[in-house]
């Protein structure tokens, strides 16, 4: 229990961050739609956020070395909170584009500081359980955030005040903690060619995780507004319910899928998750007029398939890496995921209205997931699996960190 007491402040800070992030994930696309922005351009602005995240991920380690974890976190939280208020002061797409770049970089800095700090504070024997608890709390907060603004108009000032408030509150546990700061990280990602040589299946799966999930989730609030008419709370209420369904499916499936991958070829498990995601997305794409309860159930199934294979892909790469390479491999895969997250939202934005109105969003997700499943089965014919006794156990891994993966117990 001492490990949990040592990091409660960091977990609380992450929860406040994700409450704010959950609100932004809903009101940003809905607000842009209200301002008359097309789905394609909304997707492009979502890609700009991912680009900012990449820049933040690239610069986070040097920033921590220069300024320390607390100062980096505080500066990023203040920047992000101020940028949210700017979204109300300047209600135009170009201002929001600049703001989203800053927010992407700021979130990368904040999560980099928190997760590197967690990894160096928690003992190795408890790092896996603390990591799982941290990710669980963070994702519950991400799901809960949109419900604070359900029923409010997307360009009403109150959602942005809620978000800025949560970002400010995240400063309190970090700035007031009496725990010492960890040593600065010093890990650079592997060159892409070397990373691909080590684990091509991991690179493919992580890239497609960014492309499929970031793109679909960026446009999900718009889809929910059309597919779930009459929902209590209006467009923001529909978006909150749809996001909760998707993330609930992902949370439920993640642990069993990961544990099964410890016993079977991880590429087969990724292929199965991709197939589940492809089938659910195909149903959503072809039958957008289904009863609302069925839409929510199918969204949960899609989330169960699509939000569970990132961590399995990372575990597959770790199985094929030397112990000294693990941190660099995880950092490199984060950049691969971010690259997919830059490409995915614009594609999803243009697919949203083609060819079957809002169903096009999930038709693209279905095709991409089917490609993932086929690629995993093809790669299985090209290289044998790592013997089970040589594999590292699966641990919960989500693409939120911007640093070195030091929170993962396998980096020791």
């Amino acid at each position: 229990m001492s490990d949990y007491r040592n990091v409660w402040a960091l977990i609380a800070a992450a929860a406040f961050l994700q409450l704010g992030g959950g609100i932004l994930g809903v009101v940003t696309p809905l607000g842009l739609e209200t301002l008359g922005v097309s789905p394609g351009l909304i997707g492009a602005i979502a890609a700009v956020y991912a680009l900012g995240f990449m820049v933040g991920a690239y610069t986070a380690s040097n920033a921590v070395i220069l300024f320390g974890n607390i100062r980096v976190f505080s500066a990023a939280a203040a920047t992000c909170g101020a940028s949210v208020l700017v979204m109300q002061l300047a209600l135009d797409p170009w201002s929001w584009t600049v703001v989203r770049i800053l927010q992407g970089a700021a979130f990368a800095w904040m999560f980099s500081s928190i997760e590197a700090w967690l990894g160096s504070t928690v003992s190795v024997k408890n790092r896996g359980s603390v990591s799982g608890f941290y990710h669980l709390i963070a994702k519950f907060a991400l799901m809960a955030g949109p419900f604070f603004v359900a029923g409010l108009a997307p360009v009403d000032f109150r959602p942005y005040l809620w978000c800025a408030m949560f970002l400010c509150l995240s400063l309190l546990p970090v700035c007031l903690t009496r725990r010492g700061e960890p040593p600065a990280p010093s890990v650079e990602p592997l060159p892409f060619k070397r990373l691909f040589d080590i684990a091509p299946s991991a690179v493919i799966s992580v890239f497609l995780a960014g492309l499929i999930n970031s793109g679909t989730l960026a446009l999900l609030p718009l889809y929910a507004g059309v597919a779930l008419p009459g929902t209590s709370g209006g467009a923001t209420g529909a978006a909150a319910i749809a996001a909760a369904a998707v993330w609930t499916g992902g949370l439920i499936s993640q642990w069993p899928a990961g544990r099964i991958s410890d016993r079977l070829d991880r590429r087969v498990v990724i292929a199965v998750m991709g197939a589940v995601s492809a089938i659910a997305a195909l149903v959503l794409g072809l039958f957008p007029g289904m009863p609302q309860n069925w839409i929510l159930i199918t969204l949960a199934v899609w989330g169960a398939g699509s939000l569970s294979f990132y961590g399995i892909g990372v575990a597959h790469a770790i199985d094929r890496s030397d112990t000294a390479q693990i941190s660099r491999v995880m950092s490199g895969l984060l950049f691969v995921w971010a690259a997919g997250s830059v490409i995915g939202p614009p594609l999803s934005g243009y697919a949203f209205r083609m060819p079957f109105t809002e169903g096009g969003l999930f038709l693209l997700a279905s095709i991409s997931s089917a490609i993932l499943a086929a690629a995993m089965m093809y790669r299985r014919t090209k290289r044998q699996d790592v013997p089970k006794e040589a594999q590292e156990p699966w641990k919960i891994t989500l693409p939120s960190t911007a640093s070195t993966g030091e929170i993962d117990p396998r980096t020791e």
Side-chain angles (χ1 to χ4, degrees), residues 53-66:
F53 187 92
M54 289 183 71
V55 173
Y58 185 78
T59 59
S61 294
N62 286 336
V64 170
I65 291 171
L66 289 173

Side-chain angles (χ1 to χ4, degrees), residues 329-374:
V329 166
M330 294 179 71
S331 182
L333 289 176
L334 176 69
F335 280 90
V336 173
W337 171 83
S341 298
V342 171
I343 297 171
L347 292 178
S348 296
Y350 287 112
F352 184 76
R353 296 297 181 189
M354 301 183 298
F356 301 113
T357 65
E358 68 276 3
L361 172 66
F362 280 100
L363 288 177
L364 174 64
S366 179
I367 293 169
S368 302
S369 297
I371 291 172
L372 169 69

Side-chain angles (χ1 to χ4, degrees), residues 132-182:
F133 180 71
Y134 160 79
H135 284 299
L136 183 66
I137 295 298
K139 294 312 170 188
F140 270 121
L142 183 66
M143 290 167 52
F147 288 99
F148 282 88
V149 300
L152 301 178
V155 292
D156 190 313
F157 68 92
R158 285 172 290 181
Y160 303 88
L161 292 184
W162 274 108
C163 182
M165 182 187 74
F166 285 130
L167 290 169
C168 290
L169 288 174
S170 72
L171 284 162
L172 294 181
V174 170
C175 292
L176 296 180
T177 182
R178 292 185 293 175
R179 304 293 173 185
E181 294 186 73

Side-chain angles (χ1 to χ4, degrees), residues 100-352:
R100 289 301 278 167
I101 295 175
L102 291 174
Q103 289 171 354
F107 270 101
W109 276 28
M110 287 185 285
F111 281 116
S112 172
S113 174
I114 286 176
E115 297 191 11
W117 200 339
L118 277 169
S120 64
T121 302
V122 179
S123 62
V124 175
K125 69 175 183 177
N126 290 328
R127 199 173 292 174
S129 60
V130 172
S131 171
F133 180 71
Y134 160 79
H135 284 299
L136 183 66
I137 295 298
K139 294 312 170 188
F140 270 121
L142 183 66
M143 290 167 52
F147 288 99
F148 282 88
V149 300
L152 301 178
V155 292
D156 190 313
F157 68 92
R158 285 172 290 181
Y160 303 88
L161 292 184
W162 274 108
C163 182
M165 182 187 74
F166 285 130
L167 290 169
C168 290
L169 288 174
S170 72
L171 284 162
L172 294 181
V174 170
C175 292
L176 296 180
T177 182
R178 292 185 293 175
R179 304 293 173 185
E181 294 186 73
S186 59
V187 174
E188 297 291 338
L190 287 174
F192 176 77
K193 185 178 184 305
R194 176 61 182 146
L195 187 62
F196 192 84
D197 289 341
I198 291 172
S201 295
V203 172
I204 294 168
S205 62
V206 166
F207 175 80
L208 287 175
L211 188 150
I212 298 167
N213 297 337
S214 296
T216 306
L217 293 174
L219 276 295
L220 183 64
L222 274 64
Y223 171 85
V226 176
L228 303 173
T231 302
S232 175
T236 50
I241 292 172
V246 167
W247 283 107
T248 298
L251 285 171
I252 290 173
S253 68
Q254 189 173 77
W255 189 87
R259 290 305 181 193
I260 291 171
S261 76
D262 284 341
R263 294 166 174 79
L264 300 178
D265 189 324
R266 298 198 201 274
R267 293 167 295 185
V268 173
V269 179
I270 294 172
V272 170
M273 294 295 100
V276 169
S277 172
I279 293 169
L282 183 63
V283 172
L284 290 166
L286 293 179
F287 305 104
M290 289 189 298
Q292 293 190 13
N293 287 342
W294 283 105
I295 289 176
L296 292 174
I297 291 170
T298 311
L299 283 172
V301 174
W302 177 79
S306 201
L307 300 181
S308 60
F309 64 80
Y310 173 89
I312 301 174
V314 171
H316 176 74
I318 290 172
D319 292 340
R320 297 179 178 276
S321 306
D322 297 332
T323 302
Q325 291 179 316
I326 290 177
S327 290
R328 299 181 69 198
V329 166
M330 294 179 71
S331 182
L333 289 176
L334 176 69
F335 280 90
V336 173
W337 171 83
S341 298
V342 171
I343 297 171
L347 292 178
S348 296
Y350 287 112
F352 184 76

